[in-house]
Amino acid sequence: METGFGNYMMLIAVLLGGMLSLFLVIFKDYLRDGFSAFFFLVPLVVFTYFAVFFGSEVPALGLVSWQQGMGVHFEWRVDGLSRMFALLISGIGTLVFAYSHYYLKGHPEKFRFFGFLSLFMTAMLGLVVSDNLIMLFMFWELTSVSSFFLIGFHYEDRESRKAALRALTITGLGGVGLLIAAVLISTVTGSFSFQALLDQRETVLASQAGRIAFWLLILAAFTKSAQFPFHFWLPGAMKAPTPVSTYLHSATMVKAGVFLLLKLYPIYSALPVWKPLLMTVGGVSMVYSAAQALFFTDMKSILAYTTLSTLGILVFLTGIGGNEGLLAAAAFILVHALYKAALFLVTGIVDHEAHTRDVTALHGLRHVMPGVAVAGAVAALSHGGVPLTFGFIGKELMYESALHAETSPVPIAAAFVTGLLLFAAGFWVGFKPFFSGREASHTLKHPVSLWLQLPVYVLTAGTLIFGIWPAGAEQMVHALVEAAGRDTMKVHLELWHGFNTVFFLSLATIAGGIVLYSRLVPGQSIALKVEKLSYSSVAIYEKFLSVTKWLSRWYTDILQNGYLRWYVMTIMVFLLTLVGYSFYHGVHIYIDFKKISEVTLYEAVILLLMIFSIFYILLAKSRLAAVAAMGVLGISISLMFVLYSAPDLAMTQFSIDTLTVILFVLVLYKLPRYINISSNVVKIRDAVISLLFGLMITVLCLEVINEPVNREISEFYAENSYLLAKGKNVVNVILVDFRGADTMVEITVLTIAALGVFGLMKLRLKDNEKTWE
């Protein structure tokens, strides 16, 4: 267990991206465009820090205390699983940051982009090292929020806004499930710690709360990793700039769901439903998405669906489990990150230089960007699982685990079909734009910048190095398998496994993939027809969204129509209904007149004054007279507080009432006299509701009087306000410390309202501009 310096080093490493984001918020107006050339140093420092953990065979643990009473701390754990993800997040982040410097050269919102990207890096790092369920949830939601801003980076485009909202809605749904699951698990284990969950695995599995939590965690994982039928948000997210697609939607965020499944594997894989559920959902996702990829001509759309297919493969392999399934999943995480990030960056270069991503309009680009063409071809070969690339190792491991998963041929058949389709789709993106046609479809005004090319070369070099020398990735893959499966099986990655069924399946995949690539013509007409089907996921989501909007408008029109009296009446009727239902089961009222103290003259005079004020307010014909009577009523209540030894409440009431009367007078004194617009029916309705509400409060007070006095809570606060919170004012201590979470929520609500008001103040809409969705 790390303490002191080690804990804070981890905290700084996780929050370093957030620090850069905060720096850009404050100083972005004072920075020059070229300053972004240094931003890649931030993820590079983080990568170096996590690389230090690489040689350790024992997980590194630590804790930074935060909410002691609630059991929420920054508990972190760096094992093989979190280490691989942290290295991918920071390593590919370094390349994406460097790439984005030139890709967004001269963009007016460049520093806003880097601010969101840095915040996202912090969110992902926090997610993968958190060993506390609540901290995991907080970083999980931060990934959704930061990705929302990145997907909607081109906020002036209506489709970008819709895609961002769709992604936030679907992933946010899973986030809610994750939070509820964390609370349920804590009721069983008594802690939010992952280690406590692991130690009490049998208890969790045997409890109803633990089984419900399982389904909620599955929801969180499936929505984040875009599994069928929640897959449709990811293709729309391609509206984001290409560096965002590279970072979020190929290597990091979309794998957060897979990360969660691998982290939960030691706990929930014993459930009978684990294997069939994950294999079915993952299998459907990988085959369906791979087929969909062949229906598009846009390079990013093709890559989006192949990413969906790969995520399905990872869920499928996690469902198979065991040493073979976990080994294949671990290797495929690294395989996919290398070749898919490279293909996305290649797509960005093509789009940046040729200003199109349509594979039917691109050909012969090897003549104008030969280095990029070679890198794209290598990535495509790895995508298709051709020997001497790391993709070949990953594909063979997938086939081997699928072959031994079941006696049924369905798993291996699904894996084989997926491999064929992914081969063709990868070649359409990484090979066709460069090597089809004799002449280049586009000319370049200037050579491709090294800032754009170098990250691609690094990724493709990794694909080739690990493909030729797979032993180089053994330690990383072994550590992930050991962390996820809690097994000490030694991993061996080899380039050649001999002439066996898996090898011949690989050859068949390559041959069949070449046939598909040469025979099929890219086109998106079928995909558009699928999206328009009434039972497609997109159509169901859109219908659900339209129904939600209609219900929201209906609800708002009825309950929030702008009339304060209607709001008050709604609240009173709701409380009458709720409390009246409890009264229906019985009311226990007993008044012991012997225990009632005598009414003094002062109390009687003040009570009569209050009654007189109330009737005067109801019958007044002048606003100023009504306001003055309200002041009298407030001061009468203050006097009551004085009589019952509550001077602090009396002063508070007196100050508020005095200020209210002054404000009312200043605002209302120029307004005309009352206009009688309420009918007799409305007046009778309001009178009945008021009388019933008053009766309800009276009955409640009488019931409370009959309850036995328990001073245990008040004595606790009185005895501990100074000892635990170092405050002598018990009321203040309760509000600030003992009810700190409640106060924090109130502050959060006010902050959100302030941000909304600030946003409206800064908003400048043109007359012909469309409203936001």
Side-chain angles (χ1 to χ4, degrees):
M1 173 74 73
E2 294 282 347
T3 58
F5 181 75
N7 277 331
Y8 290 108
M9 283 295 292
M10 174 60 69
L11 193 61
I12 291 172
V14 170
L15 298 180
L16 198 58
M19 296 176 189
L20 174 59
S21 180
L22 182 61
F23 171 82
L24 292 175
V25 169
I26 299 172
F27 298 105
K28 65 181 179 66
D29 294 332
Y30 306 98
L31 301 178
R32 294 184 179 179
D33 185 82
F35 196 83
S36 61
F38 301 98
F39 290 166
F40 78 92
L41 294 175
V42 173
L44 181 60
V45 168
V46 177
F47 179 83
T48 305
Y49 172 76
F50 279 103
V52 174
F53 293 95
F54 192 80
S56 176
E57 296 183 0
V58 179
L61 307 171
L63 182 147
V64 179
S65 183
W66 185 34
Q67 289 291 337
Q68 185 70 34
M70 299 177 66
V72 179
H73 311 286
F74 179 60
E75 296 178 70
W76 57 271
R77 177 188 178 97
V78 178
D79 54 16
L81 177 62
S82 56
R83 184 171 63 224
M84 175 183 280
F85 274 87
L87 290 174
L88 287 177
I89 292 162
S90 54
I92 294 181
T94 301
L95 301 177
V96 170
F97 272 62
Y99 182 94
S100 301
H101 161 65
Y102 188 85
Y103 188 85
L104 293 171
K105 184 178 181 180
H107 196 288
E109 300 287 351
K110 184 177 187 178
F111 294 117
R112 181 171 67 89
F113 172 86
F114 275 104
F116 292 144
L117 201 65
S118 303
L119 185 64
F120 171 80
M121 183 182 75
T122 282
M124 279 301 303
L125 287 171
L127 189 155
V128 299
V129 302
S130 289
D131 207 38
N132 183 286
L133 284 166
I134 294 297
M135 293 303 299
L136 176 73
F137 161 75
M138 293 176 64
F139 286 115
W140 184 281
E141 287 300 275
L142 187 57
T143 62
S144 297
V145 173
S146 54
S147 67
F148 167 79
F149 289 115
L150 286 167
I151 296 169
F153 179 69
H154 300 298
Y155 55 85
E156 69 283 352
D157 178 35
R158 181 174 179 269
E159 292 301 318
S160 293
R161 299 196 301 268
K162 287 183 64 176
L165 182 61
R166 183 183 298 172
L168 182 64
T169 302
I170 300 302
T171 57
L173 174 66
V176 173
L178 177 60
L179 176 60
I180 299 173
V183 174
L184 289 173
I185 289 172
S186 70
T187 62
V188 179
T189 63
S191 171
F192 292 110
S193 171
F194 256 110
Q195 188 59 46
L197 174 60
L198 185 63
D199 294 340
Q200 302 182 49
R201 174 179 55 185
E202 300 300 330
T203 305
V204 171
L205 292 178
S207 66
Q208 184 178 8
R211 291 192 294 272
I212 295 174
F214 164 75
W215 290 104
L216 293 170
L217 292 168
I218 287 294
L219 175 67
F222 284 1
T223 52
K224 192 68 113 181
S225 285
Q227 293 301 289
F228 185 88
F230 306 107
H231 65 285
F232 56 90
W233 70 264
L234 183 58
M238 294 301 143
K239 294 292 182 182
T242 300
V244 175
S245 303
T246 305
Y247 197 27
L248 276 68
H249 306 134
S250 67
T252 54
M253 189 185 92
V254 291
K255 288 195 177 79
V258 176
F259 170 84
L260 182 62
L261 292 175
L262 290 171
K263 200 168 182 68
L264 295 171
Y265 182 86
I267 297 112
Y268 283 112
S269 60
L271 289 177
V273 73
W274 173 274
K275 187 172 184 177
L277 175 66
L278 267 62
M279 286 186 66
T280 301
V281 173
V284 170
S285 298
M286 70 184 191
V287 176
Y288 170 80
S289 301
Q292 281 280 88
L294 302 182
F295 298 152
F296 290 88
T297 60
D298 179 78
M299 294 171 71
K300 282 184 70 174
S301 296
I302 296 171
L303 291 178
Y305 278 97
T306 57
T307 299
L308 283 173
S309 181
T310 303
L311 293 172
I313 290 173
L314 292 174
V315 173
F316 174 76
L317 294 174
T318 306
I320 291 175
N323 289 333
E324 287 186 342
L326 292 179
L327 172 60
F332 223 90
I333 288 171
L334 184 57
V335 167
H336 177 255
L338 292 174
Y339 74 64
K340 187 56 65 66
L343 286 174
F344 265 113
L345 294 182
V346 167
T347 299
I349 293 173
V350 172
D351 189 24
H352 190 271
E353 303 299 333
H355 306 292
T356 182
R357 300 193 301 262
D358 189 344
V359 293
T360 61
L362 294 166
H363 53 80
L365 293 183
R366 67 185 182 279
H367 298 295
V368 292
M369 48 179 78
V372 177
V374 172
V378 171
L381 291 171
S382 184
H383 195 285
V386 176
L388 301 183
T389 66
F390 201 25
F392 172 73
I393 307 295
K395 184 186 63 179
E396 287 223 323
L397 291 173
M398 176 183 71
Y399 283 171
E400 187 172 355
S401 59
L403 192 63
H404 300 152
E406 300 282 350
T407 54
S408 167
V410 174
I412 187 60
F416 178 72
V417 171
T418 301
L420 283 176
L421 299 173
L422 289 180
F423 185 100
F427 265 60
W428 280 359
V429 175
F431 193 86
K432 187 178 185 301
F434 302 100
F435 295 97
S436 63
R438 295 183 178 180
E439 297 182 358
S441 56
H442 296 79
T443 58
L444 304 184
K445 296 181 180 180
H446 50 76
V448 179
S449 170
L450 190 61
W451 284 98
L452 298 180
Q453 295 187 68
L454 190 58
V456 179
Y457 298 156
V458 172
L459 291 167
T460 50
T463 295
L464 287 175
I465 290 172
F466 290 142
I468 298 171
W469 180 54
E474 271 188 7
Q475 186 176 356
M476 186 180 298
V477 172
H478 167 72
L480 191 151
V481 174
E482 185 178 0
R486 301 297 193 268
D487 197 348
T488 57
M489 178 203 74
K490 186 62 179 175
V491 169
H492 293 289
L493 297 180
E494 298 177 354
L495 178 61
W496 174 250
H497 294 84
F499 294 101
N500 52 24
T501 304
V502 172
F503 177 74
F504 289 115
L505 283 173
S506 295
L507 292 181
T509 302
I510 296 171
I514 293 174
V515 172
L516 278 179
Y517 169 72
S518 59
R519 296 292 182 183
L520 290 179
V521 178
Q524 60 184 26
S525 58
I526 299 177
L528 294 175
K529 291 178 181 178
V530 170
E531 285 190 3
K532 291 180 180 179
L533 292 175
S534 59
Y535 51 84
S536 70
S537 298
V538 178
I540 293 172
Y541 168 81
E542 294 295 340
K543 290 177 181 177
F544 174 79
L545 192 63
S546 63
V547 171
T548 303
K549 288 181 178 179
W550 179 84
L551 287 174
S552 300
R553 284 193 294 266
W554 174 80
Y555 173 85
T556 303
D557 291 342
I558 292 178
L559 297 182
Q560 299 184 16
N561 53 15
Y563 293 101
L564 180 60
R565 61 181 179 272
W566 183 264
Y567 299 163
V568 174
M569 186 186 72
T570 303
I571 295 171
M572 292 174 68
V573 171
F574 175 77
L575 290 174
L576 281 169
T577 305
L578 190 65
V579 178
Y581 175 76
S582 65
F583 285 171
Y584 174 77
H585 295 286
V587 178
H588 307 285
I589 298 176
Y590 171 74
I591 304 176
D592 188 352
F593 290 97
K594 295 179 181 180
K595 294 183 179 181
I596 298 177
S597 59
E598 295 182 0
V599 179
T600 64
L601 177 62
Y602 305 106
E603 294 171 345
V605 172
I606 295 173
L607 182 61
L608 291 174
L609 189 59
M610 292 172 65
I611 295 173
F612 172 79
S613 301
I614 291 171
F615 278 99
Y616 191 87
I617 293 169
L618 295 175
L619 301 175
K621 300 297 183 182
S622 167
R623 286 189 175 88
L624 290 179
V627 170
M630 287 178 63
V632 172
L633 179 61
I635 293 173
S636 301
I637 295 173
S638 301
L639 293 174
M640 279 291 187
F641 289 145
V642 171
L643 292 176
Y644 285 94
S645 303
D648 53 343
L649 293 178
M651 288 304 300
T652 304
Q653 180 72 27
F654 177 78
S655 302
I656 292 174
D657 270 290
T658 302
L659 182 61
T660 303
V661 170
I662 294 172
L663 290 175
F664 269 124
V665 170
L666 291 175
V667 173
L668 302 178
Y669 79 100
K670 286 188 177 181
L671 293 178
R673 294 170 60 85
Y674 279 140
I675 300 175
N676 192 1
I677 59 174
S678 297
S679 64
N680 291 329
V681 175
V682 172
K683 291 179 180 179
I684 294 172
R685 178 200 67 189
D686 294 344
V688 171
I689 292 175
S690 301
L691 290 172
L692 289 174
F693 192 79
L695 178 63
M696 178 194 76
I697 297 298
T698 303
V699 174
L700 283 176
C701 291
L702 292 174
E703 281 205 324
V704 169
I705 291 174
N706 290 322
E707 290 295 321
V709 178
N710 187 342
R711 301 187 182 278
E712 181 180 350
I713 296 176
S714 58
E715 290 175 355
F716 170 82
Y717 286 133
E719 294 172 359
N720 293 281
S721 63
Y722 185 77
L723 294 176
L724 298 180
K726 309 304 178 186
K728 295 182 179 180
N729 188 316
V730 179
V731 175
N732 289 345
V733 169
I734 292 173
L735 291 175
V736 176
D737 294 285
F738 293 111
R739 286 182 57 235
D742 181 40
T743 305
M744 183 180 68
V745 172
E746 293 173 357
I747 295 172
T748 303
V749 171
L750 292 174
T751 303
I752 293 172
L755 290 174
V757 172
F758 178 76
L760 291 174
M761 291 172 63
K762 299 286 288 185
L763 185 62
R764 296 289 183 271
L765 292 177
K766 297 179 182 179
D767 294 338
N768 60 348
E769 188 175 357
K770 293 183 179 179
T771 57
W772 285 58
E773 288 295 317

